[in-house]
Amino acid sequence: MARSSSAKPPLTKGGSHSPPKSKKQVKKHHDDYTSDGVEDNDIFLLPISDYQVMLVLTVVGALVRLFRIYQPTSVVFDEVHFGGFATKYIKGKFFMDVHPPLAKLLITLFGWLAGFNGDFDFKEIGKDYLEPGVPYVAMRLYPAICGIFLVPTVFLALKAAGCRTATAALGAAFIIFENGLLTQARLILLDSPLVAATAFTALAFTSFTNQHEQGPSKAFDASWWFWLVMTGLGMGVTVSIKWVGLFTIAWVGSLTLVQLWVLLGDTKTVTMRIFAKHFMARAFCLIIIPITFYMGMFAIHFLCLVNPGDGDGFMSSEFQATLNNKGMQDVPVDIAFGSRVTIRHVNTQGGYLHSHPLMYPTGSQQQQITLYPHKDDNNIFLFENQTQPLDANGEAINGTFAWDNLKNITENYIKDGDVVRLFHIATNRRLHSHDVRPPVSEAEWQNEVSAYGYEGFAGDANDLFRIEIAKKQSLVPVARDRLRTIQTKFRLVHVMTGCVLFSHKVKLPEWASEQQEVTCAKGGTLPNSLWYIESNAHPLLASDAEKVNYVNPGFFGKFWELQKVMWRTNAGLVESHAWDSRPDSWPILRRGINFWGKDHRQIYLMGNPIIWYSSSLAVVIYVLFKGIAVLRWQRSCNDYSNSIFKRFDYEIGTSVLGWALHYFPFFLMQRQLFLHHYFPALVFAIMAFCQIYDFATARIAIPGVRENPIINKAGAVALLGLSAVVFALFSPLAYGNAWTKSECNRVKLFGTWDWDCNTFLESYDAYSGLGAAPSKISQTPQVAIENKQPPFQQPAAGNNQESPKAGISGAPKFEPQDQKVIGREERVEYRDQDGNLLNEEQVKALEGKVEFQTKYETRTRVVDANGNEVEVPIEELPAVGVAPPHPDVEGANQETKKLVKDDDIPKEASSSKDGEKEAERSVPKPASEGNEATV
């Protein structure tokens, strides 16, 4: 391949530049858009030795990533979600997640190929994989492969940027020995695929930029096209894993605009026809290819999820109708008095107006009116006029079903402005409202809605509602004048009080089976007070009457609706979490994330301090450099005439721009944020550090440095060794290995590094006795155990009923075999940072001066048959699994804004049939069974 005439000095045997042979050498300045000081860094033309180094690094990366990947043998952190999604893909059950589907589909594929049939639910952290035979190692293998792939990708990206082999090897080694990247790559999580795709996009665009900067001679040749297409594909892959890929697209887009701007300024070699060709090539590869790939992933997503699931509640009725068993037959379109209808709410994804034979425990104590997400006989209401129909003699025809025998149904169509009553057929009561506060939303502008009356009761004025058609929201002209099934959107205005029938995403308590609240709101917002009729039946409607059904939204309609729901749900993740953190703490590695804890081991997401601080330092160095360069440029210093100075500014500036675009947008987000959101930015910061190191040791003319290649190599080896040592010190937190308290405390340099060293045992020998502990204790006859469990209390022995509520995950229930649990106690203790017990006076003196963090601890006391305490070493007690503390309990970042909102998508309500299920108290479900939004 051709070289630019501004090539660098020849390489010495060691791989660094030799000094110029003559001071009279003058570098040629180009009169086209070719950049000064650029060589052809085609990664397909590297020397064999470079590929050998890359292969060795990749093997080392594989060993580090795959070492004990089977450990731990239970569910870890967000494996609850992403493993659960694999179950739903295999079962074909629709779910909603805030992330695009690519990585989840590939995790599912790996599990399916290994024999996973979707029978394991991943419901809770710490749930065992081994007994049910879950191929969890295969599912973890996909993120691990992505983590391995990241090593050669960063190596090649640095080579494409012009770095020396030793420098590129240093960057790849930083990836290998970065503890946080390792932790993410060993579990069923999305961040390892995301980072790998981001790095591949950076490699592809860096290679394309290298081809572009060599000028017109390289434009539109095979290598130029290849890397441009790969950039577009990489962007599509990245954004199909997580929307963080939009930041990668912004990076590529920004630099592409710079390239086009430079091309536009080259009036000698770039005609408008050639410029248009450059523009169209980039538009196709960097816009059309990513969008097509992204939409293709959702097409596969829809093909896999064809059955109803717990994500239905997020979607519109039209969307739900495309799922198996969710569609319905065509129904009559005309609504008249006497029509039996089901009424759905518009703004909360189609819950049905519903009643059942249960009463409100407060307020009027009349029958409950709710919103219920499933089809049910208790959803059927009958439209009544405010007066009874008249017979031929002008006499009123009494009875609820008086309209069934009228001859001319068209005279009884329900029109805009008509006053109606809604009769609940199953319970013989009518929809009713009055000036009584609702049981949950006790605001003055909210009135209770109930079902009132009995069979034969004529009703009262509080049963009257006026039809008010929302003409802009109704689909066809006739639907704006009278009620039409599906086509008409309308409000029900209470005649006596002027309030409108209203619902919002507020769940009623267990006494209403956690169904959604319905109220009558004075001045309620239009979206939450809009309703429509889904099903309709009337005895006087002939079989050939006009019918209607939901309009199939098609792929593009479903795709766009899902994008909007993902955006709203993602923006709604604003509640504080136990292990969240804010962006300003990420570059300094202020705190990590507690992923898992069991058997006196712990997995805690923690970066390698050497790598994090070095990369953050690189960003600071470049910012200082740029500030000084701008000041010198303003003073007309001719720094930019030096090609090395110019290359330093552009090449490192490119990486720092990637860091900034993957970092600063998080400051604009009020949602939950975690340390792992920094990983894409970290990769760019590592590349920036390596590029600065390369310039300092091999490209800038520092006396005795550039001429001596051993300095570049020795420095790289020293940094590599230091990062490897620190990696080893923190590795038990990444692998979940045995560790001792003393070793843990030795590396815990800051109080904000909030993993708990008390989790670990005093010595490694103590771990060897854990496996035999249960059998030792079980041999002791007539032993009773007193178990102090703060999160909940349980009756003394003899009561075999278990509480239906799950305990907080930070305090697992301990039930020893063959021993008798005589009691459980709850006690609050205050201790200082060294574990010393504080008395009440000390606690009172510290109030307002320090922050108290809650930690749950289970303590076991063994007594014999006579009540005497038996001393049992801690290592002989049965190991108790301790999952990370509940989000509402420990360590919530105080900077995360808390938002009290009423628009969460409700969980699945209990099934309803003749009111039977509503009477049952629902068992609380794990978080993964409710809102499937993940972070």
Side-chain angles (χ1 to χ4, degrees):
M1 289 186 168
R3 302 271 180 179
S4 68
S5 56
S6 58
K8 299 174 184 176
L11 292 172
T12 64
K13 188 175 181 181
S16 65
H17 288 300
S18 61
K21 293 182 179 179
S22 170
K23 292 184 180 180
K24 295 181 180 180
Q25 255 181 325
V26 178
K27 293 187 178 181
K28 180 180 177 182
H29 292 278
H30 301 277
D31 57 1
D32 55 27
Y33 65 86
T34 303
S35 298
D36 295 331
V38 175
E39 285 189 330
D40 187 355
N41 298 319
D42 194 330
I43 63 171
F44 294 119
L45 301 177
L46 298 176
I48 297 297
S49 59
D50 283 358
Y51 296 120
Q52 292 172 339
V53 171
M54 183 182 72
L55 179 61
V56 170
L57 289 167
T58 304
V59 171
V60 174
L63 293 174
V64 170
R65 291 317 188 252
L66 299 177
F67 176 68
R68 294 183 178 176
I69 195 172
Y70 57 84
Q71 181 176 288
T73 61
S74 57
V75 178
V76 178
F77 197 57
D78 272 352
E79 288 186 338
V80 166
H81 293 295
F82 302 120
F85 294 150
T87 294
K88 290 164 187 171
Y89 271 125
I90 291 174
K91 298 292 187 182
K93 293 184 177 180
F94 184 81
F95 65 87
M96 213 299 295
D97 182 39
V98 297
H99 302 305
L102 176 57
K104 300 191 290 276
L105 285 167
L106 290 172
I107 289 170
T108 304
L109 177 62
F110 273 70
W112 180 76
L113 291 174
F116 182 50
N117 58 9
D119 289 340
F120 187 77
D121 56 22
F122 296 87
K123 278 192 173 181
E124 57 190 18
I125 295 173
K127 190 168 184 177
D128 181 56
Y129 284 136
L130 297 181
E131 184 178 351
V134 181
Y136 70 100
V137 172
M139 299 173 75
R140 288 177 179 174
L141 195 59
Y142 166 62
I145 290 172
C146 292
I148 296 166
F149 173 75
L150 182 62
V151 175
T153 302
V154 170
F155 178 90
L156 293 174
L158 289 170
K159 291 297 295 183
C163 293
R164 305 305 171 269
T165 301
T167 306
L170 174 63
F174 272 10
I175 296 298
I176 293 172
F177 297 121
E178 209 302 290
N179 298 67
L181 292 174
L182 167 67
T183 305
Q184 289 284 340
R186 292 170 45 80
L187 303 170
I188 307 173
L189 303 174
L190 303 188
D191 292 278
S192 182
L194 172 69
V195 173
T198 303
F200 174 78
T201 306
L203 164 63
F205 189 70
T206 302
S207 296
F208 170 74
T209 300
N210 180 251
Q211 298 296 306
H212 164 79
E213 288 190 306
Q214 293 176 63
S217 62
K218 288 287 188 178
F220 306 110
D221 67 4
S223 182
W224 187 95
W225 275 110
F226 174 80
W227 288 117
L228 185 59
V229 170
M230 288 298 103
T231 301
L233 185 62
M235 291 162 60
V237 171
T238 306
V239 78
S240 296
I241 295 171
K242 274 190 175 185
W243 277 355
V244 174
L246 293 171
F247 304 153
T248 310
I249 292 175
W251 177 68
V252 172
S254 300
L255 296 174
T256 299
L257 291 176
V258 172
Q259 293 178 0
L260 291 173
W261 183 252
V262 172
L263 286 168
L264 191 63
D266 183 359
T267 58
K268 294 186 178 180
T269 61
V270 180
T271 64
M272 289 308 297
R273 178 177 174 277
I274 294 176
F275 179 81
K277 190 176 178 181
H278 276 278
F279 180 86
M280 294 304 297
R282 286 166 171 81
F284 176 79
C285 294
L286 303 182
I287 298 176
I288 303 301
I289 289 179
I291 290 176
T292 303
F293 186 92
Y294 180 77
M295 296 180 71
M297 293 303 101
F298 278 93
I300 298 172
H301 179 74
F302 292 145
L303 286 174
C304 293
L305 303 179
V306 295
N307 299 317
D310 49 20
D312 295 354
F314 290 87
M315 314 310 298
S316 68
S317 302
E318 290 81 1
F319 190 107
Q320 293 180 39
T322 64
L323 302 173
N324 292 340
N325 303 320
K326 278 282 189 174
M328 67 178 189
Q329 294 181 346
D330 294 349
V331 293
V333 70
D334 293 312
I335 310 292
F337 292 113
S339 291
R340 287 76 162 164
V341 299
T342 57
I343 303 174
R344 298 192 77 163
H345 195 235
V346 171
N347 201 41
T348 51
Q349 287 73 40
Y352 294 90
L353 190 66
H354 176 92
S355 188
H356 42 229
L358 290 175
M359 306 301 164
Y360 289 120
T362 60
S364 68
Q365 298 186 353
Q366 294 173 8
Q367 184 169 297
Q368 299 169 8
I369 293 288
T370 65
L371 212 65
Y372 182 64
H374 304 296
K375 294 181 179 180
D376 186 272
D377 288 343
N378 282 333
N379 303 336
I380 300 175
F381 289 81
L382 184 145
F383 271 115
E384 295 179 319
N385 199 345
Q386 59 179 327
T387 58
Q388 292 296 111
L390 303 178
D391 60 16
N393 299 320
E395 298 292 331
I397 305 174
N398 294 321
T400 300
F401 303 104
W403 288 270
D404 291 358
N405 301 317
L406 298 180
K407 293 183 179 179
N408 191 355
I409 189 175
T410 60
E411 295 179 355
N412 291 288
Y413 286 159
I414 301 176
K415 299 178 290 295
D416 187 23
D418 283 353
V419 175
V420 302
R421 296 181 298 181
L422 283 166
F423 181 82
H424 188 245
I425 295 176
T427 61
N428 297 306
R429 288 182 169 93
R430 291 180 178 88
L431 190 71
H432 185 91
S433 186
H434 38 223
D435 191 14
V436 176
R437 299 291 76 76
V440 176
S441 299
E442 297 180 346
E444 284 297 321
W445 56 277
Q446 297 267 33
N447 287 347
E448 179 190 82
V449 174
S450 63
Y452 176 68
Y454 49 86
E455 188 172 0
F457 177 63
D460 63 25
N462 280 330
D463 299 340
L464 299 178
F465 289 84
R466 185 177 65 255
I467 299 292
E468 187 178 282
I469 293 177
K471 301 187 185 301
K472 290 184 179 179
Q473 285 76 19
S474 298
L475 300 179
V476 294
V478 66
R480 297 164 191 157
D481 297 326
R482 57 185 174 89
L483 286 189
R484 303 260 291 181
T485 306
I486 295 177
Q487 298 173 351
T488 301
K489 305 298 187 294
F490 63 94
R491 302 205 304 170
L492 286 167
V493 182
H494 191 242
V495 172
M496 297 300 292
T497 62
C499 61
V500 293
L501 194 68
F502 178 92
S503 186
H504 49 174
K505 295 168 187 174
V506 171
K507 287 172 51 180
L508 293 169
E510 291 181 2
W511 47 256
S513 301
E514 298 186 340
Q515 295 174 14
Q516 190 167 310
E517 182 183 51
V518 174
T519 67
C520 196
K522 301 170 185 175
T525 57
L526 181 65
N528 281 339
S529 59
L530 278 183
W531 305 82
Y532 71 96
I533 294 166
E534 181 186 77
S535 68
N536 168 34
H538 197 293
L540 298 182
L541 288 173
S543 59
D544 59 349
E546 182 184 357
K547 291 182 170 60
V548 72
N549 208 330
Y550 287 116
V551 176
N552 191 321
F555 167 74
F556 291 103
K558 292 173 65 176
F559 169 80
W560 184 241
E561 179 180 342
L562 185 54
Q563 304 309 300
K564 291 188 290 185
V565 171
M566 290 166 61
W567 179 269
R568 288 197 303 267
T569 308
N570 193 32
L573 296 175
V574 294
E575 292 296 329
S576 179
H577 186 277
W579 301 102
D580 67 1
S581 53
R582 302 309 300 171
D584 59 329
S585 69
W586 298 342
I588 59 175
L589 196 60
R590 187 174 184 271
R591 77 182 306 220
I593 309 172
N594 186 17
F595 272 13
W596 174 90
K598 193 174 183 180
D599 299 331
H600 301 289
R601 302 165 192 258
Q602 189 172 6
I603 292 181
Y604 183 95
L605 183 68
M606 173 69 183
N608 186 319
I610 295 297
I611 297 172
W612 283 63
Y613 297 152
S614 298
S615 61
S616 298
L617 178 63
V619 173
V620 173
I621 290 173
Y622 176 77
V623 171
L624 293 175
F625 160 81
K626 188 66 176 179
I628 294 171
V630 169
L631 292 175
R632 288 177 57 81
W633 172 80
Q634 183 65 14
R635 296 296 298 169
S636 300
C637 298
N638 201 22
D639 296 328
Y640 282 93
S641 62
N642 184 305
S643 62
I644 293 179
F645 187 95
K646 191 189 303 184
R647 295 311 303 169
F648 182 94
D649 184 26
Y650 180 77
E651 292 177 15
I652 298 168
T654 296
S655 296
V656 173
L657 178 65
W659 171 86
L661 289 175
H662 287 81
Y663 175 58
F664 287 115
F666 287 107
F667 283 92
L668 304 177
M669 301 182 188
Q670 300 302 322
R671 56 153 290 174
Q672 291 173 356
L673 295 173
F674 297 88
L675 181 66
H676 58 72
H677 287 120
Y678 185 68
F679 285 150
L682 176 66
V683 172
F684 281 101
I686 289 173
M687 292 176 62
F689 173 82
C690 292
Q691 289 173 294
I692 291 175
Y693 175 81
D694 194 70
F695 270 94
T697 59
R699 298 173 71 175
I700 298 175
I702 300 176
V705 177
R706 189 174 72 173
E707 297 85 355
N708 193 354
I710 195 65
I711 293 178
N712 175 263
K713 294 179 180 178
V717 170
L719 288 169
L720 189 157
L722 183 60
S723 65
V725 169
V726 175
F727 164 81
L729 291 175
F730 288 96
S731 63
L733 291 175
Y735 290 114
N737 287 342
W739 213 15
T740 64
K741 289 182 181 179
S742 59
E743 291 180 355
C744 173
N745 285 312
R746 187 160 50 244
V747 300
K748 192 174 181 180
L749 303 180
F750 305 106
T752 56
W753 292 357
D754 49 358
W755 66 84
D756 186 5
C757 288
N758 292 323
T759 298
F760 307 102
L761 299 181
E762 297 291 346
S763 67
Y764 289 106
D765 292 338
Y767 284 92
S768 61
L770 286 178
S775 60
K776 289 182 181 180
I777 294 181
S778 63
Q779 293 171 2
T780 305
Q782 300 294 325
V783 173
I785 295 178
E786 182 178 344
N787 191 11
K788 299 177 183 177
Q789 285 191 294
F792 63 92
Q793 295 180 350
Q794 188 161 322
N799 185 354
N800 295 325
Q801 278 191 329
E802 293 186 4
S803 170
K805 293 188 177 181
I808 294 174
S809 60
K813 187 168 73 172
F814 169 54
E815 291 290 356
Q817 295 182 351
D818 300 327
Q819 283 110 50
K820 182 180 177 184
V821 179
I822 62 172
R824 289 182 170 86
E825 297 178 1
E826 177 178 339
R827 184 171 63 185
V828 178
E829 295 178 349
Y830 290 89
R831 296 179 181 270
D832 61 18
Q833 67 272 18
D834 299 319
N836 300 317
L837 189 65
L838 304 177
N839 59 36
E840 292 184 7
E841 293 181 359
Q842 292 172 314
V843 172
K844 190 171 183 180
L846 290 172
E847 284 181 356
K849 300 178 182 178
V850 299
E851 176 185 354
F852 290 100
Q853 293 186 345
T854 305
K855 294 189 177 180
Y856 285 96
E857 182 175 311
T858 300
R859 297 182 182 177
T860 304
R861 187 163 63 90
V862 181
V863 296
D864 60 20
N866 298 320
N868 300 317
E869 186 166 348
V870 178
E871 294 292 336
V872 180
I874 183 66
E875 60 268 18
E876 294 186 11
L877 288 173
V880 177
V882 181
H886 188 277
D888 296 332
V889 173
E890 178 178 353
N893 191 305
Q894 299 303 313
E895 297 177 27
T896 300
K897 294 186 178 180
K898 297 182 180 180
L899 178 64
V900 178
K901 60 184 188 305
D902 65 359
D903 57 351
D904 288 332
I905 299 296
K907 297 181 182 179
E908 291 288 341
S910 304
S911 59
S912 170
K913 186 66 176 175
D914 298 327
E916 294 174 0
K917 293 293 184 180
E918 285 90 345
E920 299 177 4
R921 293 187 175 273
S922 357
V923 178
K925 302 182 178 78
S928 59
E929 287 300 305
N931 189 333
E932 291 293 4
T934 55
V935 293

